[in-house]
Amino acid sequence: MTPRRHVGARTWICVAGAVMASALWISCQRSPSDRIQGYVEGEFVYVASPFAGALETLAVRRGAQVRAGEALFALERVSEQAARDEADRRLSQALANLEDARKGKRPTEIESIKAQLKQAQAALRLSTREVVRQEGLTTVPGAAVELEVDRARAARDQDRQRVAQLQADLDTALLGSRADQVIAAEAEVRAREAALARAEWELGQKRQQAPKSGLVFDTLYREGEWVPAGRPVVVLLPPENIKVRAFVQEKRLGTIHPGDDAQVAVDGVARPFSGKVSYISPRAEYTPPVIYSQESRNKLVFMVELVFDPSAAAELNPGQPVDVLFGFAR
């Protein structure tokens, strides 16, 4: 190869290297106009009790991480405990009444009716023989009168009815209460069971557990303070409730779709956060003053929300300004 050709080849190599380096730099450095200003938003979970009471125990501190099911706080529950105990005793009473309604009379009462029945049966046998004897005497002239025969027959009939009455009493005693009374007792038991379940639920509402895992963003009361019914005591921020909101100009909205990949850059963090578009507002609005933008604030924009994996979302803080780059991974 001649020196001239050798110099030309080296020149082309240098030019090609410079072009490749410039292309690589351009590909890594996107235009600032491709980035959308946004901020981190958190959807908080406010944990409260539906009943009022003094805050007895606060089991968590602000800034701590909790798991689902862990205890958060407990209110005093003296009245709810008393109501639960009362409902339990009333249920025991209703169960006893039902059991009593299903049974017959007590054994001693049944034995008493049986003894009375035996007496009546013996009296019936005697009165029956007396009727036979009086009727036999009517064949003997002057031995009996018609009045005595009628008296014997009346006594026999009376003893017969007495036997029938005691037999019916014995059958009733063995049957127990009437069906309607048993049904009423069963309904009373069900009502008492429902009352106990409600009392236990109300008692349980005085102690609240974490509905989801996440950060204890804030605690709003201290131990000993009175908490009104329904007022939050602990504010949780689950990582899946952290999202980024950005406001996209109308002319770029058509290039963004739900499910698209995006990257979020945060000041002071070297690596970007990968997320996906989860929501695009159907309503147009003007750039709100909260957005961190250096551009004109009178342009029509649409709100776009991005979500992240819980592990990545846990590193973001609500209110934090970010830069969003859409379509980076497509």
Side-chain angles (χ1 to χ4, degrees):
M1 177 181 294
T2 63
R4 188 173 184 179
R5 290 183 178 180
H6 182 70
V7 173
R10 288 198 310 176
T11 302
W12 278 108
I13 292 175
C14 293
V15 171
V19 170
M20 292 178 62
S22 300
L24 180 62
W25 183 85
I26 292 173
S27 64
C28 294
Q29 300 293 328
R30 292 237 177 165
S31 171
S33 61
D34 291 340
R35 296 178 179 269
I36 304 297
Q37 306 298 319
Y39 60 94
V40 181
E41 180 72 17
E43 294 181 347
F44 301 103
V45 176
Y46 297 89
V47 184
S49 171
F51 305 101
L55 183 58
E56 190 175 77
T57 304
L58 184 60
V60 295
R61 293 183 179 181
R62 183 168 55 183
Q65 292 286 339
V66 295
R67 296 192 177 189
E70 289 186 7
L72 296 180
F73 66 90
L75 305 180
E76 59 84 18
R77 50 181 192 168
V78 175
S79 60
E80 287 77 13
Q81 182 67 53
R84 188 267 173 201
D85 294 342
E86 180 184 1
D88 184 54
R89 294 188 181 95
R90 289 186 180 276
L91 175 59
S92 299
Q93 180 183 4
L95 289 171
N97 291 337
L98 174 60
E99 190 66 22
D100 182 68
R102 287 173 174 171
K103 294 179 180 178
K105 290 184 177 292
R106 290 175 293 182
T108 53
E109 294 175 330
I110 294 176
E111 291 299 326
S112 175
I113 296 176
K114 287 181 178 180
Q116 295 178 46
L117 178 59
K118 290 178 180 180
Q119 292 176 4
Q121 290 172 343
L124 176 60
R125 288 193 296 268
L126 179 61
S127 61
T128 301
R129 288 197 297 269
E130 180 64 21
V131 168
V132 172
R133 190 177 69 82
Q134 290 294 336
E135 289 178 346
L137 290 176
T138 57
T139 59
V140 180
V145 295
E146 185 178 356
L147 179 60
E148 294 299 328
V149 176
D150 292 340
R151 286 178 177 174
R153 288 174 178 172
R156 181 200 59 189
D157 294 341
Q158 183 178 3
D159 292 338
R160 186 177 294 165
Q161 295 299 324
R162 177 62 176 167
V163 169
Q165 176 189 357
L166 291 174
Q167 185 62 53
D169 290 344
L170 178 60
D171 294 340
T172 302
L174 294 174
L175 288 176
S177 300
R178 294 194 300 267
D180 292 343
Q181 292 178 329
V182 174
I183 293 175
E186 291 175 345
E188 181 68 17
V189 169
R190 291 193 294 271
R192 295 302 178 186
E193 288 175 344
L196 177 59
R198 178 179 179 180
E200 289 180 340
W201 178 83
E202 292 179 353
L203 180 63
Q205 290 300 306
K206 285 300 191 75
R207 296 181 182 272
Q208 292 293 323
Q209 294 80 34
K212 291 185 176 182
S213 300
L215 170 72
V216 179
F217 187 81
D218 201 359
T219 56
L220 306 179
Y221 288 89
R222 293 185 293 270
E223 292 181 356
E225 291 183 327
W226 180 263
V227 181
R231 296 292 291 272
V233 176
V234 176
V235 182
L236 296 180
L237 181 59
E240 61 269 22
N241 287 17
I242 298 177
K243 58 185 65 176
V244 165
R245 285 181 177 173
F247 292 84
V248 179
Q249 296 177 359
E250 184 271 337
K251 62 182 180 180
R252 295 193 56 188
L253 187 65
T255 63
I256 302 173
H257 307 87
D260 285 355
D261 295 311
Q263 287 196 346
V264 174
V266 180
D267 293 341
V269 180
R271 63 176 181 84
F273 295 90
S274 298
K276 289 184 178 296
V277 176
S278 62
Y279 173 76
I280 299 176
S281 175
R283 296 193 312 172
E285 53 189 288
Y286 286 96
T287 306
V290 72
I291 191 170
Y292 300 93
S293 174
Q294 303 300 324
E295 301 177 358
S296 175
R297 297 184 177 273
N298 59 356
K299 294 181 180 180
L300 200 62
V301 293
F302 290 80
M303 185 186 70
V304 177
E305 290 185 350
L306 289 80
V307 294
F308 306 85
D309 291 333
S311 58
E315 300 183 30
L316 299 174
N317 298 307
Q320 196 171 21
V322 297
D323 292 328
V324 182
L325 187 60
F326 292 99
F328 187 88
R330 287 187 299 169

